[in-house]
Amino acid sequence: MNEDNARHITLTRLVPPVPGGRWLCALGIFLVTTTIFWACGVFGPDRTATLTGSYGAALFFSVVLSYTVPILHYISTRTADAIGAMGPSLKAEEAQISAWQHRVWKKPRAWFRWVLSIGIIGGLAHNLLLFGSLSKLVGDITSDAPAAAIFSGTCLVWVVLTFSLAALLDNALLLRKLARHTGINLLQPQQLRPFGTVAVISTLAVIGIQAAFPIMFIDSGLNAMAYIPGLIPTSAVMFLLAALPVWPIHQRLARAKALALAPINQRIDALGAIDGAEQDETLAPLAPLLTYRQEIDQVSEWPFDVGVITRLGL
């Protein structure tokens, strides 16, 4: 990727480079957004139990924004570190590995244009569904401050989530590409675990976003259109994030195991075919073959460790 044609993901720069920077970022975003919603009257005592005065939606916006930005920074850091940890097994020069790491943080300008367009269109379309008609939408947001705040919050969440999920998907596609450059050593399967780690933490990040959706239910004025348009795309992205980085490695591991076990089984069969007195002489060469076959057979075909799978299960 040409560095002149790439730019840093702005959202990740909102995290200050200090200890606890992600927590400070989350707290800052939450305080700023809730203050704005409060100033617009969304949390006021005269609010109505409708979309235009929904404090549940406003609180959801504040929570999901304060969660998404720091978690994107965290996963981007873990992904870049994972690529660096895979260095010994990657069949590439250091300059290429460094370029892959930079791709985690910097995306092509065309990527930004497409993602921003999708986010804006998604936000406007969702608002149109919520308000019912274009005339009502325009009338409400131009005459009612809480309605304007909910409109702006919906658009902002769509843009931020679209950028964050698109960045995670792009990183997952990058790891899928790296799977073709990774050497497979069945006796060192831990070298491939970064693929599984990134897939799991990315999936958990989306689950965390979805876990915030029930916040909207604390206000009975919302209908299904408030959350279904968000649940569907996030669920689709969640499955892609889980599959894209690990499926190519799974296929290569399964193929490598089959290729490694085939000649071993042939040698074991050849030694086992000898009978009579000569059979005692075959025990010495047979034992290491059986041990080696057991070792290879126990290698998992998925690049996960027990701890990562436990976190995903919980």
Side-chain angles (χ1 to χ4, degrees), residues 142-163:
T142 55
S143 61
D144 186 57
I150 295 298
F151 169 83
S152 302
T154 302
C155 289
L156 180 60
V157 167
W158 266 92
V159 170
V160 170
L161 286 184
T162 301
F163 266 107

Side-chain angles (χ1 to χ4, degrees), residues 12 30 47 90 114 117 123 144 148 172 223 262 280 282 293 313:
T12 58
F30 183 81
R47 68 168 189 85
L90 288 174
W114 275 104
S117 299
D144 186 57
N223 56 40
D280 294 336
T282 67
R293 182 177 68 176

Side-chain angles (χ1 to χ4, degrees), residues 11-12 14-15 25 29 64-73 160:
L11 292 177
T12 58
L14 295 177
V15 177
C25 176
I29 292 175
V64 78
L65 289 172
S66 61
Y67 168 83
T68 302
V69 175
I71 204 66
L72 173 62
H73 183 274
V160 170

